[in-house]
């Protein structure tokens, strides 16, 4: 299975944009890129996902490199409530899709007031 | 958005007893649910895949006789930790996969429960 690599931690100032990188150099054509985040003592929360094109939703934007070997989760204006562990996960599509999500270590985002 | 609940949120038990944790999808049906375990300052570890009406599929290294999983309906899966020991103390999290993947779920999104913190004395 293709793996992802993320920085262990990042810091941001409140109300500034945050760019969280993820490398997935061995991604295959049938892998979706998912982002989840986990606030302290809570279950993970879906953030966004994409396949090839950039994606936007009310929570964040996902920028996917043209070769799909990396992606960036963009929080447009960080708030203190965005402090969490952010996980970048690859998941198969189509008949290979078991639905399993294999979590790596993720990036711990600290937001300073 | 879709909601998944877990009960109890926190449980303390004595060593040797069994503990049952429930996972419910409240506003959607889930043929597949997943169970994870998370130790302090570590990531989530997938334990098993729970399929409605069939036996669960366990990940390598997870004892199926110790962690009993039952998925009796499209909205309920249970995890029973049998003969619990202090090393089983952990944060147990379930997730549910929306059967009708569509605009709301943005194609096969998983929804996670809030977790159950188990402490075995």
């Amino acid at each position: 299975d293709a793996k992802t690599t993320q920085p262990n931690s990042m810091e941001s100032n409140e109300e500034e944009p945050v760019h969280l990188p993820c490398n997935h150099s061995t991604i295959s054509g049938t892998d979706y890129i998912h982002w989840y985040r986990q606030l302290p003592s809570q279950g993970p929360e879906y953030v966004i996902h994409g396949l090839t094109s950039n994606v936007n939703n009310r929570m964040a934007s996902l920028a996917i490199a043209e070769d799909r070997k990396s992606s960036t989760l963009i929080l447009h204006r960080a708030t203190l409530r965005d402090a969490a562990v952010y996980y970048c996960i690859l998941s198969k599509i189509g008949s290979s899709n078991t639905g399993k999500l294999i979590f790596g270590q993720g990036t711990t985002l600290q937001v300073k007031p | 958005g879709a909601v998944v609940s877990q009960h109890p949120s926190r449980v303390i038990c004595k060593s040797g007893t069994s503990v049952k944790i429930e996972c419910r999808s409240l506003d959607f049906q889930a043929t597949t649910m997943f169970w994870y375990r998370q130790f302090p300052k570590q990531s989530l570890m997938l334990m098993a895949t729970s399929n409605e009406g069939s036996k669960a599929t366990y990940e390598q290294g997870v004892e199926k006789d110790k962690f009993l999983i039952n998925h009796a309906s499209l909205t309920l899966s249970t995890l029973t930790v049998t003969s619990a020991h202090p090393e089983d103390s952990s944060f147990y999290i379930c997730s549910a996969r929306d059967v009708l993947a569509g605009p709301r779920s943005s194609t096969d999104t998983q929804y996670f429960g809030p977790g159950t913190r188990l402490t075995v004395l």
Side-chain angles (χ1 to χ4, degrees), chain A residues 33-84:
Chain A
I33 303 160
H34 293 253
W35 283 83
Y36 284 79
R37 72 179 185 182
Q38 186 179 24
L39 279 65
S41 298
Q42 295 187 28
E45 172 187 29
Y46 168 80
V47 178
I48 201 166
H49 80 280
L51 185 60
T52 56
S53 302
N54 294 344
V55 184
N56 299 298
N57 65 21
R58 64 176 178 81
M59 288 182 70
S61 294
L62 176 59
I64 301 172
E66 197 169 334
D67 63 6
R68 300 210 323 127
K69 293 185 177 183
S70 65
S71 61
T72 302
L73 178 70
I74 302 167
L75 306 179
H76 297 286
R77 286 185 67 196
T79 69
L80 296 179
R81 287 177 292 181
D82 290 322

Side-chain angles (χ1 to χ4, degrees), chain B residues 48-66:
Chain B
T49 303
S50 170
N51 297 299
E52 187 266 339
S54 64
K55 290 184 178 180
T57 304
Y58 291 82
E59 294 298 305
Q60 192 172 7
V62 178
E63 299 175 59
K64 62 180 182 180
D65 294 329
K66 181 167 182 63

Side-chain angles (χ1 to χ4, degrees), chain B residues 25 28-33 52 71-76 99:
Chain B
S25 56
F28 68 99
Q29 294 181 321
T31 53
T32 305
M33 291 183 174
E52 187 266 339
H71 194 150
S73 76
L74 286 173
T75 59
L76 173 65
V99 171

